[in-house]
Amino acid sequence: MTSLYGSPQAFFLNIEANKENIPPGTELKKEPFVYPTEPRSANRPADPDHENLMPSPAPRPSPAMSQLSDASFLSQDGATVTTSADEADDDPEVTSRKEKSLGLLCQRFLIAINEETVGSPTREVHLETVARKMSVEKRRIYDIVNVMEALDAMHKTNKSYYQWQGLECLPKLMADLQIEAMEEGLPERVLRVEQAMCSFTELASPRGLKPFKDTVGSFVTTSTPTTPSTSFEPVVKTDSEKRSRVDSRDRQGRNSLAQLCRRFLMVLLSNPKNVRKVSLDVASTVLIKDPETEGFEPPSRSRCRRLYDIANVLVALGLIKKVHYLFGTKKIPLFVYCGPEPDEHAKFDVFQSVERLLSSPQNVPQTPVIKAQTDKIVQQIAGFGKRTLSEQNLQKPSGNTPKMAKIKSEIIPSSPLADENKLFMFAELAAAQKIREDAIAQLSRTLIQNMQNSQSLAPAPVLAPVPAPEPPKVVPPPPLPMSPLRIHGFPQLPKLPVLPTARPKFNFPDYTPNPTNIRPLVSQMTFRPDMFDDNKPKHLMSNILGESKKFNNQQNVFEHTTSSAFQVVKKGEMGATRPKKIFGEIQNLQ
DNA sequence: TTCTCCCGCCATGTT
DNA sequence: AACATGGCGGGAGAA
């Protein structure tokens, strides 16, 4: 083949899409990718504008016509797989945006990468080849590559060349990120943001405007101490890197997609198993804003766009799940971690994860085209997954590699959503978490300190799998009410018993929410200052809805009351009847 | 109307 | 200078 572009297959290239990034004469260091002889769907007439694979013409008159939401891609053996048969009855005029989604692209990216690296000892891939193979512009690939880099799945080796390392070691990365989160005091920060989130009348005070006077937010923010240990800057090797000049395009900083992705996972991993959930508001505030200087109000949605990109890729990999938390009439987006359990030695099979994701009835795509695509993806990765797994075992027969049976049992994460329909309350969870995590964080600091001090004496690996120790005989703490907001002038409430679990490493005890003690998060409520009187007992956050409690200073007990210091703000008129919905219900509304 | 997020411009880094 | 990378936000589709 003298010239790929001069070949009869050149029509396969989306010239418009690649004209900027794939100039004629691009030198391929690897074997040039040979396109299949007939990529076009057999029963689809040639379209001179969208020559390849376009299942349905894009309705948008995009001049660049860069995105080919092709429903056809290459199978494992290089043969073209089209979905045209499945979509023959689909209206070709209708192209859903979801058909071009980053998530779907990500899954196809996995397939393309797998095909590219199979049999390649270096596992090196050429981005342009992959982009062409997927018939998407290279720019779109970068978004996925960035996330993959953040997951240590690939790294750059040369211009346009990346080495695919796979996601087998994802559990270890998660363990590392969890440690990093602990060291950074991220759980504390998440907690503080969650607390503050409860303080703004989001609905009553539109974004960009000042919050209402009677929100508790100001109390919380002004009373929140700033400690060096919780400074917002990531601890990740910023020292060694030159402080980039005053540049809004903070390429290596916290706004980069890769950094944001890792930190997003860190936020999720800041929670104990089974409660690794975070709302979009909380995540974006923790990740995008500096709570120490920018306050706790969620950033504008425009600043959250990267988070959407990351989430879409992570969802596509089956690492997180997006659900909605229903509060009144408002749906709060909630990201739930459902990736592999952090573990230094476990292995992860991303194909199985994706396959499992796509096989789930609740994830059945909405349009026939998407369904056809995902069916093909499932079909393909079913083979890849098995092959990949067996290849992993063949290629990495090290002593550390767990046996096959063990891998299989570990790679399928158990769904943390078994009780996703139960009521729960962020704030109360956070309060419970905080107590646990304070203890754990303290413990981890001590452990790390000890390990650093006696590194030479202790050859044992840092996070060797620890057999679940007999839990110490500790009376479990009672259901925890939310910590009261810290309001200037109010004395601290007596501390609730701290969970003194000396659990090694970061094996969080499972937390099973008790529906009877749990209330939903309220991100839209007003504070009733009149209820906060020095002479009156203080209220708890659990007063927000339903059962009310307040703490009686004199008797050091919680008392039931009917008055609440907080009032839910409804959209529209205050006092209007809200449709009967269950507060705090988690819905998979997508 | 608000939420999502595709899309491509263009700044900056690299060759 | 040309190309590679990726931050960023406009604006359109979806809810």
Side-chain angles (χ1 to χ4, degrees):
Chain A
M1 177 183 294
T2 52
S3 163
L4 184 63
Y5 298 87
S7 73
Q9 287 83 18
F11 74 91
F12 186 61
L13 300 177
N14 180 348
I15 302 302
E16 275 299 320
N18 296 294
K19 66 180 181 183
E20 291 180 12
N21 295 325
I22 311 178
T26 298
E27 189 182 335
L28 303 182
K29 293 176 191 172
K30 290 178 71 177
E31 280 290 313
F33 174 69
V34 180
Y35 289 102
T37 52
E38 186 47 89
R40 191 185 308 135
S41 169
N43 61 352
R44 186 174 299 280
D47 180 348
D49 295 323
H50 319 114
E51 188 60 63
N52 56 349
L53 320 174
M54 194 65 145
S56 44
R60 197 199 304 221
S62 167
M65 197 28 240
S66 56
Q67 280 300 107
L68 292 181
S69 63
D70 56 298
S72 112
F73 38 92
L74 301 174
S75 72
Q76 185 174 341
D77 56 2
T80 304
V81 173
T82 71
T83 56
S84 53
D86 304 302
E87 76 204 23
D89 50 351
D90 193 37
D91 183 2
E93 296 300 319
V94 177
T95 302
S96 165
R97 220 156 86 106
K98 293 190 172 181
E99 290 164 31
K100 303 185 247 179
S101 73
L102 200 59
L104 213 50
L105 203 61
C106 175
Q107 286 161 353
R108 290 172 48 206
F109 178 82
L110 282 177
I111 292 173
I113 288 288
N114 202 53
E115 288 177 350
E116 284 292 296
T117 55
V118 64
S120 161
T122 60
R123 308 188 87 186
E124 215 178 28
V125 292
H126 186 232
L127 276 199
E128 286 163 23
T129 303
V130 173
R132 287 207 306 275
K133 192 168 190 170
M134 298 169 62
S135 305
V136 295
E137 78 174 300
K138 204 176 172 187
R139 174 68 193 86
R140 299 280 74 78
I141 299 288
Y142 282 123
D143 289 337
I144 299 171
V145 167
N146 288 341
V147 174
M148 292 296 178
E149 279 186 297
L151 298 176
D152 288 343
M154 60 199 308
H155 73 263
K156 187 174 175 175
T157 57
N158 212 330
K159 177 181 156 186
S160 281
Y161 280 84
Y162 283 77
Q163 187 178 48
W164 176 250
Q165 290 157 310
L167 287 157
E168 295 90 47
C169 295
L170 205 58
K172 180 182 185 307
L173 174 72
M174 296 303 175
D176 292 343
L177 290 178
Q178 199 170 51
I179 293 174
E180 202 175 326
M182 296 299 167
E183 289 174 341
E184 207 180 303
L186 211 50
E188 263 183 3
R189 192 177 311 142
V190 172
L191 174 73
R192 276 199 283 137
V193 171
E194 283 181 348
Q195 280 183 324
M197 286 288 149
C198 291
S199 313
F200 291 98
T201 56
E202 193 176 312
L203 293 179
S205 151
R207 279 179 221 288
L209 301 179
K210 280 195 278 185
F212 279 18
K213 277 181 188 173
D214 60 349
T215 64
V216 248
S218 55
F219 291 115
V220 176
T221 49
T222 52
S223 64
T224 303
T226 303
T227 59
S229 64
T230 56
S231 66
F232 186 70
E233 283 301 318
V235 293
V236 227
K237 51 187 175 260
T238 47
D239 298 339
S240 59
E241 287 177 339
K242 274 189 288 185
R243 250 310 183 224
S244 64
R245 57 186 175 286
V246 186
D247 174 19
S248 61
R249 289 171 181 254
D250 188 11
R251 283 179 179 263
Q252 298 303 317
R254 69 173 195 246
N255 284 342
S256 81
L257 209 64
Q259 271 299 321
L260 204 57
C261 176
R262 292 172 77 96
R263 296 184 58 74
F264 178 55
L265 287 169
M266 283 165 63
V267 166
L268 281 167
L269 292 167
S270 293
N271 297 326
K273 188 181 175 184
N274 290 355
V275 277
R276 293 188 179 128
K277 307 174 171 76
V278 67
S279 71
L280 176 66
D281 280 348
V282 170
S284 57
T285 304
V286 171
L287 296 169
I288 296 171
K289 297 188 84 178
D290 181 350
E292 309 299 345
T293 61
E294 296 187 76
F296 289 95
E297 204 173 6
S300 67
R301 281 292 185 259
S302 69
R303 291 177 72 182
C304 298
R305 282 189 280 236
R306 299 293 83 75
L307 217 48
Y308 288 126
D309 294 341
I310 292 166
N312 284 337
V313 173
L314 296 181
V315 167
L317 297 175
L319 300 182
I320 66 169
K321 180 171 183 168
K322 192 177 176 188
V323 297
H324 283 94
Y325 183 83
L326 191 63
F327 179 76
T329 57
K330 188 173 169 67
K331 286 191 300 183
I332 301 173
L334 198 64
F335 299 114
V336 183
Y337 181 80
C338 50
E341 192 55 26
D343 187 324
E344 190 86 350
H345 302 286
K347 298 289 177 189
F348 178 70
D349 183 353
V350 69
F351 291 111
Q352 204 162 344
S353 175
V354 175
E355 188 180 3
R356 185 167 164 272
L357 173 80
L358 295 180
S359 302
S360 174
Q362 64 189 7
N363 297 318
V364 167
Q366 300 81 353
T367 72
V369 174
I370 302 177
K371 183 171 187 332
Q373 289 199 44
T374 52
D375 284 349
K376 295 298 174 190
I377 291 172
V378 168
Q379 195 180 323
Q380 292 182 334
I381 64 178
F384 289 162
K386 291 188 186 82
R387 190 189 64 199
T388 307
L389 203 58
S390 55
E391 279 178 358
Q392 282 167 14
N393 289 333
L394 288 174
Q395 288 171 1
K396 300 177 181 178
S398 77
N400 290 336
T401 308
K403 290 189 169 61
M404 187 69 169
K406 190 176 179 187
I407 295 175
K408 279 193 169 176
S409 68
E410 289 180 357
I411 50 184
I412 303 174
S414 64
S415 170
L417 294 176
D419 51 358
E420 71 179 65
N421 290 323
K422 289 180 184 174
L423 299 179
F424 75 93
M425 179 180 176
F426 275 126
E428 290 191 334
L429 280 180
Q433 268 170 242
K434 178 168 170 51
I435 290 176
R436 288 158 192 260
E437 306 221 349
D438 280 351
I440 293 165
Q442 175 82 43
L443 178 65
S444 65
R445 276 188 222 108
T446 312
L447 282 173
I448 290 166
Q449 184 101 44
N450 290 348
M451 279 188 298
Q452 285 170 347
N453 291 344
S454 58
Q455 212 162 13
S456 57
L457 301 175
V462 173
L463 280 178
V466 180
E470 196 65 20
K473 302 271 184 189
V474 175
V475 180
L480 294 167
M482 175 59 199
S483 308
L485 296 175
R486 273 177 278 176
I487 296 173
H488 184 69
F490 280 130
Q492 288 284 322
L493 286 176
K495 281 193 176 180
L496 290 164
V498 171
L499 187 67
T501 50
R503 295 176 77 93
K505 316 307 171 192
F506 298 101
N507 289 327
F508 288 109
D510 290 0
Y511 181 81
T512 308
N514 181 349
T516 60
N517 298 317
I518 288 170
R519 299 277 180 273
L521 167 72
V522 177
S523 66
Q524 48 276 75
M525 62 187 181
T526 52
F527 172 58
R528 296 164 62 187
D530 54 299
M531 299 304 298
F532 276 81
D533 185 321
D534 263 336
N535 301 320
K536 292 181 180 175
K538 283 175 276 298
H539 290 258
L540 300 181
M541 291 289 282
S542 52
N543 287 355
I544 294 163
L545 291 167
E547 179 190 32
S548 296
K549 285 188 215 166
K550 50 190 175 184
F551 189 80
N552 186 316
N553 283 332
Q554 280 71 41
Q555 301 177 23
N556 263 22
V557 292
F558 293 105
E559 291 176 342
H560 287 263
T561 178
T562 53
S563 58
S564 169
F566 301 95
Q567 186 173 29
V568 175
V569 178
K570 278 164 281 192
K571 205 167 187 172
E573 301 170 45
M574 299 281 276
T577 310
R578 183 186 296 110
K580 205 166 186 180
K581 288 182 180 173
I582 304 172
F583 283 111
E585 182 181 7
I586 292 184
Q587 294 191 330
N588 200 358
L589 297 172
Q590 13 212 346

